[in-house]
Amino acid sequence: MPSPVPVTRLLPRDFGLRLGALSSPLSRHAGASTLRVPANDSHGKLARRLWSSVVQWRELRGLEPIGSGGFGSVFKGTYFGETVAVKHVRRARNKLASRQSFWAELNAAHLRHDNLVRVIAATTTTTTATRTLSEEREDGEGHVGTILMEFAGDLNLQQVIYGAAEPLPSELCVRYAADIARALCHLHAHGVVHLDLKPANVLVSRDGVCKLADFGCSLQLGLDHEARAREIGGTYTHRAPELLKGERVTVQADIYSFGVTLWQLLTREPPYGGERQHVIYAVVAYALRPDLDREVLRRSAGGRACADLLSRCWSAEPNRRPSADELIPELRAVSELGFKG
């Protein structure tokens, strides 16, 4: 028998021990458009939060590669007849880092929210039944784990920002930002910090809804992560200065990254130019931040309100940044002010 991911790894403490059989974790309900966890007396309302530690490989079909990154590849396929994304995490040179990335991906697996990409199943087992995955991993020694997630869309926010011929309407930028803020609000309420928020890690559905993805750098606060504070990954252009200095991790690090992401949405420019080490030094030592002297941030009341919000989001002092809860009404106020000068 293969050794699955422990089902109690990230389930709520009050879930109880009567989990039932996990060999068939998901079922299609008649007329339903999404995969659902079958409910029973022991599950109740918490059933919606369950992810499975077993992948039914025979139900995983039609895989096609759609992307790759530092720790693995992503495929699109069908699972129980529904479209899913399959992330195959391979062992990198830094074996510990690749294992940490896999487990970090599951920090939000027990959460359900419209603006978070939902985890359906995850396992550390391998299979020869799926030819594409078998070719990708080459052998069991290079495999860390496989994660099945809802397929949230073909585009990420990076592609939306920099791939369109015309500038994004400012009102749409604020709406996208509000989706991200709602995702952060739910994460932070459950003690999870993302730590790699950037446009490339935000998927945009066909309905224009933003969903936060890629939790490979995330942490569950309240656990003993102080020793790992200096080892946290992420993208240096969006990384809070306290993390660049190896200081304590808080949810406010995500607020800093949110500010840089919102600035990119509104300006369609890269946050910084120059070499990595020079940018990091300037952010920490000289409070370098993306330039607020942009027309979209000057010409209207909404733009000026956005500029004020941005300056507070990337404050050098984490406790001076707004919380995720506070972002939502502030963005609503920006929308009401408007961007017409």
Side-chain angles (χ1 to χ4, degrees):
M1 285 291 290
S3 299
V5 176
V7 74
T8 55
R9 169 69 170 79
L10 291 169
L11 293 178
R13 290 181 180 178
D14 56 349
F15 196 89
L17 298 176
R18 294 178 297 163
L19 295 175
L22 286 171
S23 59
S24 182
L26 300 169
S27 65
R28 285 188 69 185
H29 291 210
S33 60
T34 59
L35 291 166
R36 298 175 187 270
V37 178
N40 59 39
D41 291 339
S42 65
H43 290 183
K45 293 181 179 179
L46 290 174
R48 283 176 266 171
R49 301 173 66 180
L50 178 63
W51 59 276
S52 172
S53 62
V54 174
V55 174
Q56 299 297 306
W57 297 110
R58 287 176 296 180
E59 299 292 339
L60 186 58
R61 300 167 184 167
L63 291 181
E64 56 183 79
I66 57 175
S68 61
F71 287 125
S73 302
V74 181
F75 302 84
K76 181 180 178 180
T78 60
Y79 191 57
F80 286 89
E82 302 292 341
T83 304
V84 296
V86 182
K87 186 167 187 176
H88 171 71
V89 182
R90 61 175 176 263
R91 184 169 291 118
R93 285 186 178 181
N94 187 334
K95 295 180 181 180
L96 176 61
S98 57
R99 287 197 298 269
Q100 287 176 341
S101 176
F102 172 76
W103 287 109
E105 287 278 7
L106 303 180
N107 277 328
H110 61 296
L111 301 181
R112 295 290 177 265
H113 191 273
D114 289 342
N115 301 115
L116 295 175
V117 172
R118 178 171 55 94
V119 173
I120 296 169
T123 181
T124 57
T125 63
T126 61
T127 179
T128 56
T130 309
R131 185 170 179 266
T132 305
L133 286 180
S134 181
E135 290 176 347
E136 165 64 21
R137 61 180 169 83
E138 295 182 353
D139 57 68
E141 294 301 315
H143 179 92
V144 176
T146 303
I147 303 170
L148 272 64
M149 301 165 284
E150 68 167 306
F151 182 76
D154 294 298
L155 289 175
N156 62 46
L157 202 53
Q158 176 95 356
Q159 295 166 318
V160 171
I161 293 172
Y162 298 110
E166 299 295 326
L168 296 175
S170 299
E171 293 78 9
L172 179 61
C173 295
V174 174
R175 181 162 66 81
Y176 284 163
D179 282 350
I180 299 170
R182 281 188 281 269
L184 291 180
C185 187
H186 194 70
L187 278 182
H188 295 174
H190 290 84
V192 179
V193 55
H194 188 276
L195 293 177
D196 197 20
L197 171 56
K198 58 182 178 181
N201 287 341
V202 178
L203 300 180
V204 183
S205 74
R206 291 183 179 180
D207 297 327
V209 176
C210 288
K211 290 177 176 276
L212 188 55
D214 201 335
F215 287 81
C217 293
S218 68
L219 288 178
Q220 177 74 50
L221 297 180
L223 302 179
D224 185 15
H225 288 298
E226 291 300 321
R228 286 183 52 196
R230 294 183 180 274
E231 303 169 14
I232 294 168
T235 306
Y236 75 95
T237 52
H238 295 68
R239 197 172 179 190
E242 66 270 18
L243 301 187
L244 294 173
K245 294 187 288 184
E247 296 177 354
R248 187 170 66 92
V249 178
T250 70
V251 295
Q252 297 306 96
D254 283 344
I255 304 301
Y256 180 96
S257 304
F258 170 87
V260 180
T261 299
L262 175 55
W263 184 91
Q264 287 179 271
L265 271 166
L266 292 168
T267 66
R268 298 184 71 199
E269 298 179 30
Y272 307 110
E275 296 185 12
R276 179 179 184 274
Q277 61 269 31
H278 295 160
V279 171
I280 291 175
Y281 181 77
V283 166
V284 172
Y286 296 105
L288 174 68
R289 302 291 187 268
D291 191 358
L292 290 176
D293 188 20
R294 292 290 186 270
E295 184 181 357
V296 68
L297 298 172
R298 296 193 319 255
R299 69 188 180 201
S300 65
R304 291 187 290 273
C306 255
D308 176 70
L309 176 60
L310 290 172
S311 67
R312 287 182 284 120
C313 283
W314 57 50
S315 170
E317 298 182 34
N319 59 1
R320 292 193 174 184
R321 299 171 199 158
S323 67
D325 284 331
E326 293 168 336
L327 289 176
I328 297 171
E330 292 214 31
L331 290 168
R332 188 180 303 116
V334 166
S335 294
E336 291 173 355
L337 288 171
F339 287 86
K340 294 182 179 180

